[in-house]
Amino acid sequence: MSTLEEHIDISVPLENAWDCLHRAETYPRFLNGVREARSAGERRAHLDIDAGGREQEFQVEIVDREMEKVMTWQTTSGPDLAGTFSLLPIDREHTRLQARFEYDPGTIKETFGGPQGFAQAVAIERGVRSDLQQFKELVEAERKTTK
């Protein structure tokens, strides 16, 4: 298994970011490749993914450690993928989102296509950074419209 860790600082209170992470319908707005997402029960989400030009469906199980503001996820169908989102307060108006993504490089190649080896790691890192930036823009924009 390979692991990638990235973080981004967001100009919203921790609760705003936590709430957005738990609204599956927002996932297509910040996760590249997710065409549609919906809750499938209290601890599950169903994702329709465009994976290298092929449509796939993933089921994801979500486990919260709410007191710590940590959300872990694991696919229960589709490729074996897992990750963690941890929210850390910087101050009352700023939050750090730390993302950890665990994957098997061979599974990523089979599922999504694209490069292998170092080029694959760079592409995944760039994708995760892009997703975090899009999440930041989404929650900060939502915050401005609710003020």
Side-chain angles (χ1 to χ4, degrees):
M1 249 337 169
S2 293
T3 301
L4 172 67
E5 293 184 12
E6 291 289 332
H7 75 272
I8 194 163
D9 293 343
I10 305 168
S11 297
V12 299
L14 186 140
E15 289 301 327
N16 291 69
W18 184 252
D19 290 343
C20 189
L21 277 177
H22 287 82
R23 291 193 321 262
E25 67 275 5
T26 66
Y27 294 176
R29 295 175 60 190
F30 68 88
L31 293 174
N32 288 317
V34 176
R35 291 184 303 101
E36 184 180 339
R38 61 189 172 280
S39 293
E42 190 173 315
R43 295 179 33 187
R44 295 191 179 272
H46 176 88
L47 308 177
D48 292 330
I49 306 285
D50 179 7
R54 297 183 317 265
E55 293 181 13
Q56 293 192 34
E57 295 182 11
F58 296 0
Q59 294 290 331
V60 178
E61 183 172 350
I62 298 166
V63 177
D64 284 334
R65 295 192 321 251
E66 184 153 359
M67 296 303 292
E68 300 166 36
K69 296 302 186 220
V70 174
M71 168 201 261
T72 60
W73 61 270
Q74 168 91 39
T75 54
T76 58
S77 68
D80 186 20
L81 304 170
T84 303
F85 293 109
S86 301
L87 295 173
L88 305 166
I90 296 171
D91 60 32
R92 291 176 55 141
E93 297 296 318
H94 299 89
T95 302
R96 174 165 290 158
L97 171 59
Q98 293 179 306
R100 179 181 174 103
F101 178 52
E102 298 173 14
Y103 64 95
D104 173 64
T107 299
I108 294 293
K109 175 71 174 149
E110 290 171 15
T111 305
F112 298 100
Q116 294 186 54
F118 181 73
Q120 180 187 64
V122 170
I124 291 170
E125 182 177 315
R126 192 177 9 222
V128 170
R129 283 185 183 154
S130 173
D131 291 349
L132 290 177
Q133 182 63 39
Q134 290 178 84
F135 181 80
K136 172 185 171 75
E137 292 168 8
L138 173 65
V139 295
E140 288 177 354
E142 284 182 354
R143 176 93 195 279
K144 287 179 184 173
T145 61
T146 60
K147 276 190 167 182

